[in-house]
Amino acid sequence: MQEVIWHGRGGQGVVVAAQILAESAYLQGFKGVTSAPTFGPERRGAPLTASTRIANEPIRMFSQIERADIAVVLDASLLEVVDILASLKEGGLIIINTQLKADEVEIGGCYGIAAVDAVAIALKHRLIKEGAPIVNTPLLGAFARAGDLVSLEYIEKGLRWKLSGGAATANILALNAAFEETTIKNKS
Amino acid sequence: MEKKDDNITAMCRPAVGEAGKTGDWRDMRPVIDQSKCISAIKNRAACLLCWLYCPDGVVIPTVPVGIDLEYCKGCGICAEECPAKAITMVNEGG
Amino acid sequence: MSNVQIMTGNQAAAIGVKLSNVQVISAYPITPQTSLTEAISQFVEGGELKAEYIRVESEHSVLAVCISASAVGARVFTSTSSHGLLYMHEQLHWAAGSRLPIVMCCVNRGVGAPWSIFNDQQDSVAQRDTGWIQIYCRNNQEIIDTLIQAYRIAEAVYVPVMVCYDGFVLSHTMMPVEVPDADLVKDFLPPYKPHMILSPEDPRNINPVIFPWRRQDPEGVLRDGYMELRYKLQKATEGARDIIVATNRAYTEVFGRDHGGMLWTYRADDAEVILTAMGSLASEATVAADMLREREIKAGVVGIRVFRPFPKEEVREVFGNRCAIFVFEKDISYGYEGALCSDLKAAFYGTGSRAPIHNYIVGLGGRDVKARELAEATLSSLEAIASGTTEPETTWLNCDTYLPGSEVRGQGLGDRRQEEKCRINYSRSIKKNICCRGTGPARGVASP
């Protein structure tokens, strides 16, 4: 079983990203997928998490993720607020929305790092909602590239499941751009 | 298939005398003075507030108005409500 | 053709309601049930479900509406959580006493004071004596399937059914769910035939004041007294056992999924140690059993699916000749122990079972409990039992049980790191003094 934890702020589409990943993984053939929001009230701007579990067999475990295999960080400022590494396995992968390249990201410890400038990609593709760039789609692209778990093809399918018409087109362009632009270091 | 039991909840249908002949619960009996009763005076079904107010449905809305004393409990509501003061409550004993 | 969709427990329940062709719905929103009633109201508004959705001002009125609608012959659904269920308490008795086959979802949530919107099972367990059948689901597939079964059970025995599932843990967690075929459901679930219908053509007074004794009515029929009616409700609820088992069997034949009748087992055949629980916790326990097996402890799980009627015979059969029994539950009967544990012990009375039974109170108010922790608790209990403990005291798992003035710092202190994390996550919500009751479910912005 692979466990993915999504760190973001209320309004960034963390829960939706976790759902799309679960859907994509299921479409790709994983029989066991779950996605869950942080249980409880959700507030715009507040740090929150969502999670996706992916396995070959149906999932019987519904407790919160203790140590994820992959952490996706939608907002790099969270690194200073939340102890993101505490819920990531040693040697796990962290995927960050940042202007830096993976080589330039310093987080200490022994982790794989993937970096993508999700804000720039969102703005370039005019993915803006309520005045803020939509960063979850580009991060799904980075996930497809760095995660070695769910392919770009199936994440595209997952996106189409969640979105309709014109929205899907722009998001898929952004998804592909992020897939291309993602930089990676230290990956085991 | 087992036999269906129709009697699995408490219920009752509207019926006369659910609690037996309640006329013997009465201390005082309503007596109608037909010379004051509006229905009797007009010689047609009129007013009938006694019939409307009777909680036991024992007022018979005929002309002249009757009362089913087998079931009248003697509560006196008809006497209280009668606008013509045609009904008097009279001691059963006397 | 299979139709699998990824959905939350609340969505699964809503689709189950739609497939069951429910005619009247009344519900009042409360976290974490809200998204269920929202989905149903959309089905009704969009014409996908031909039903009346009746809005009222409180849960007490909700169930009063359901009772009335059921009494005139409609198939009825409602759902609630926590305080909503407790507010219904009086009407729960009325629904069962009137022998109306209402089906309700209880999306399990802790009970105040203090306020909690998070999951435990105190709400429905506290209502176990109201005359409702209670079924606890362990995943979202079981929710949709159990709802359909619930109508067939309720309408066969004329006893209302509460379908219980864990708030947030299932209600807001998405997972693959196969949606049953609507035509097959229609065949499986024939239209509701009331045991009597309140109608102007045949006027009657339902539930008049009833005397302690039996009595002839004016039609000459000898009518039951209060005790006879209570006895019939008890017998019907007990007898529901056979219907529940048969319904599950029939469902398995048609739809190919067997969730267990009264209970289910996991790796229990050769198990020396049994972990037992209700709902999603029992599913989590199956992972703990796997972990224990890796450490060469023959562990298995019994999931109690139906709490009322209590599966006494099944429990006696399946728990017989075990070395130790661990009861994990998300409720507490104050002043005694977990309610499930008491019921299990009572079922063993007279069987000669001498297996130590260790009761763990876990997960109250949403305190996370992991398979690893269930396995570790089992291991530490087994050590205590090995060193001579025959009657272990009830343990509160992942709970700091230190009481000022007491000598001992308590057992089962939780994972500190997790506590730290919680502190970060929740300190802000305390600062903002959010209003909890009726707060909507966690909503992601519907982007990207």
Side-chain angles (χ1 to χ4, degrees):
Chain A
M1 183 165 66
Q2 293 285 305
E3 295 179 315
V4 182
I5 187 159
W6 299 80
H7 293 272
R9 292 181 180 276
Q12 286 186 312
V14 172
V15 176
V16 173
Q19 286 174 4
I20 290 172
L21 180 61
E23 178 74 22
S24 309
Y26 184 78
L27 292 171
Q28 190 174 311
F30 289 101
K31 288 199 188 77
V33 298
T34 58
S35 84
T38 311
F39 297 153
E42 197 169 296
R43 293 142 295 135
R44 193 172 189 85
L48 57 90
T49 65
S51 62
T52 311
R53 282 192 167 108
I54 299 172
N56 288 316
E57 293 305 316
I59 289 168
R60 290 175 275 134
M61 195 184 211
F62 305 116
S63 53
Q64 286 163 44
I65 291 174
E66 199 165 11
R67 294 246 165 182
D69 299 276
I70 302 173
V72 189
V73 184
L74 277 73
D75 185 332
S77 74
L78 287 170
L79 288 162
E80 288 155 29
V81 185
V82 181
D83 188 359
I84 284 168
L85 299 179
S87 58
L88 185 63
K89 272 180 193 158
E90 284 285 318
L93 171 68
I94 180 165
I95 302 173
I96 310 177
N97 166 20
T98 171
Q99 291 175 313
L100 302 175
K101 300 287 175 208
D103 284 339
E104 301 160 356
V105 176
E106 289 302 331
I107 53 167
C110 176
Y111 301 98
I113 295 172
V116 68
D117 191 350
V119 173
I121 292 169
L123 292 175
K124 191 177 162 199
H125 292 87
R126 296 206 168 83
L127 291 180
I128 297 166
K129 189 170 169 100
E130 291 160 14
I134 295 168
V135 293
N136 58 358
T137 303
L139 279 158
L140 279 163
F143 188 95
R145 175 74 178 274
D148 285 339
L149 191 60
V150 183
S151 72
L152 185 66
E153 179 194 351
Y154 283 98
I155 289 192
E156 260 196 49
K157 286 186 181 170
L159 259 177
R160 287 186 200 279
W161 160 77
K162 191 78 188 176
L163 303 173
S164 54
T169 312
N171 275 281
I172 283 162
L173 285 173
L175 181 78
N176 280 283
F179 184 86
E180 295 301 327
E181 290 172 28
T182 299
T183 55
I184 301 169
K185 83 164 173 185
N186 285 347
K187 226 178 98 223
S188 52
Chain B
M1 196 67 193
E2 62 192 299
K3 199 170 149 277
K4 189 170 166 273
D5 183 359
D6 292 321
N7 197 11
I8 58 172
T9 51
M11 72 100 181
C12 58
R13 290 198 171 78
V16 175
E18 161 79 4
K21 298 215 167 168
T22 49
D24 67 0
W25 298 11
R26 199 168 57 230
D27 285 327
M28 298 180 86
R29 171 167 38 108
V31 176
I32 304 174
D33 180 347
Q34 299 293 353
S35 70
K36 290 183 185 166
C37 173
I38 295 167
S39 278
I41 292 167
K42 296 196 170 176
N43 197 29
R44 63 180 170 84
C47 176
L48 292 180
L49 284 176
C50 51
W51 169 77
L52 195 64
Y53 275 95
C54 177
D56 272 310
V58 298
V59 174
I60 306 156
T62 47
V63 182
V65 171
I67 291 172
D68 184 349
L69 289 172
E70 278 202 319
Y71 293 102
C72 170
K73 294 173 188 152
C75 69
I77 289 174
C78 53
E80 186 68 26
E81 294 299 334
C82 178
K85 307 219 177 301
I87 306 175
T88 319
M89 299 304 290
V90 177
N91 257 340
E92 278 293 346
Chain C
M1 203 179 69
S2 97
N3 174 15
V4 177
Q5 297 171 26
I6 314 278
M7 63 176 80
T8 64
N10 280 347
Q11 286 167 334
I15 295 172
V17 169
K18 188 171 78 172
L19 288 170
S20 301
N21 285 314
V22 170
Q23 294 160 301
V24 174
I25 298 110
S26 186
Y28 191 86
I30 182 167
T31 302
Q33 156 265 32
T34 307
S35 54
L36 163 55
T37 53
E38 282 174 354
I40 294 174
S41 67
Q42 280 165 13
F43 290 152
V44 174
E45 198 60 25
E48 285 179 71
L49 175 62
K50 302 238 175 310
E52 288 286 330
Y53 191 111
I54 301 171
R55 290 171 299 163
V56 288
E57 81 298 343
S58 76
E59 286 88 353
H60 188 275
S61 302
V62 159
L63 203 48
V65 165
C66 291
I67 288 167
S68 312
S70 186
V72 296
R75 181 174 285 163
V76 175
F77 177 78
T78 186
S79 64
T80 189
S81 297
S82 183
H83 293 269
L85 182 68
L86 302 185
Y87 197 14
M88 285 180 181
H89 174 76
E90 184 220 17
Q91 296 292 311
L92 291 174
H93 285 278
W94 277 96
S98 309
R99 303 294 298 276
L100 296 169
I102 297 164
V103 172
M104 166 195 303
C105 278
C106 175
V107 187
N108 289 114
R109 159 181 158 180
V111 171
W115 279 122
S116 171
I117 60 167
F118 300 97
N119 163 246
D120 65 39
Q121 296 174 341
Q122 190 75 27
D123 51 357
S124 56
V125 168
Q127 303 307 305
R128 67 175 185 180
D129 297 336
T130 54
W132 285 58
I133 292 166
Q134 289 194 347
I135 308 178
Y136 288 78
C137 302
R138 61 189 180 279
N139 56 43
N140 295 355
Q141 183 70 60
E142 191 176 357
I143 295 171
I144 195 169
D145 294 335
T146 302
L147 253 170
I148 295 162
Q149 293 180 22
Y151 279 103
R152 184 150 142 173
I153 295 162
E155 291 167 12
V157 293
Y158 297 110
V159 176
V161 177
M162 202 180 286
V163 176
C164 306
Y165 57 91
D166 292 308
F168 292 112
V169 180
L170 296 181
S171 71
H172 285 62
T173 297
M174 292 184 119
M175 61 191 83
V177 172
E178 185 171 341
V179 178
D181 177 76
D183 289 330
L184 288 179
V185 174
K186 215 171 177 181
D187 291 342
F188 181 80
L189 201 58
Y192 163 41
K193 287 198 190 72
H195 66 86
M196 68 170 174
I197 294 187
L198 193 61
S199 84
E201 285 77 49
D202 184 13
R204 65 182 82 192
N205 181 359
I206 295 180
N207 296 321
V209 175
I210 195 159
F211 291 88
W213 50 85
R214 304 187 78 204
R215 206 162 63 102
Q216 252 186 3
D217 73 8
E219 293 163 331
V221 181
L222 189 62
R223 289 276 167 196
D224 289 327
Y226 186 88
M227 271 190 87
E228 283 77 19
L229 290 167
R230 281 290 163 271
Y231 180 75
K232 284 180 177 176
L233 176 58
Q234 158 69 355
K235 283 319 224 188
T237 310
E238 270 184 347
R241 180 212 165 274
D242 293 342
I243 303 286
I244 292 166
V245 170
T247 302
N248 179 65
R249 200 181 303 124
Y251 195 89
T252 306
E253 277 167 21
V254 178
F255 299 96
R257 285 185 297 278
D258 180 0
H259 298 291
M262 298 294 283
L263 48 73
W264 52 269
T265 59
Y266 177 81
R267 299 182 87 168
D269 287 351
D270 66 335
E272 292 166 350
V273 171
I274 292 283
L275 284 66
T276 188
M278 301 195 290
S280 66
L281 182 61
S283 177
E284 190 85 18
T286 63
V287 181
D290 292 345
M291 292 170 173
L292 290 163
R293 291 259 175 184
E294 277 168 27
R295 303 186 63 162
E296 310 210 323
I297 289 164
K298 285 187 179 173
V301 175
V302 175
I304 303 294
R305 184 166 180 255
V306 182
F307 186 45
R308 284 294 179 277
F310 194 74
K312 182 178 166 185
E313 293 308 320
E314 288 85 350
V315 156
R316 284 180 164 205
E317 200 185 312
V318 81
F319 281 89
N321 300 318
R322 309 290 183 174
C323 300
I325 294 163
F326 300 95
V327 187
F328 296 96
E329 55 188 307
K330 294 178 176 176
D331 64 87
I332 174 74
S333 177
Y334 295 104
Y336 199 29
E337 61 188 354
L340 174 62
C341 188
S342 296
D343 284 352
L344 283 167
K345 285 177 178 172
F348 301 145
Y349 181 77
T351 62
S353 167
R354 298 182 64 82
I357 299 168
H358 195 161
N359 188 197
Y360 280 92
I361 305 302
V362 307
L364 299 188
R367 181 70 54 94
D368 193 38
V369 57
K370 300 177 196 306
R372 175 182 60 74
E373 292 161 340
L374 298 177
E376 283 166 4
T378 305
L379 282 173
S380 74
S381 283
L382 285 171
E383 273 169 31
I385 289 165
S387 61
T389 308
T390 52
E391 222 179 311
E393 273 189 43
T394 302
T395 303
W396 288 52
L397 193 65
N398 291 354
C399 175
D400 187 347
T401 50
Y402 169 73
L403 296 176
S406 73
E407 295 290 310
V408 199
R409 189 154 177 101
Q411 6 112 316
L413 187 59
D415 177 347
R416 288 191 179 282
R417 200 181 48 73
Q418 176 65 24
E419 283 188 8
E420 283 301 326
K421 198 176 142 196
C422 291
R423 214 164 288 148
I424 293 163
N425 280 351
Y426 299 138
S427 59
R428 281 150 205 267
S429 63
I430 294 160
K431 277 184 201 152
K432 285 199 174 176
N433 191 23
I434 48 156
C435 170
C436 293
R437 191 166 185 269
T439 300
R443 282 185 187 85
V445 170
S447 63

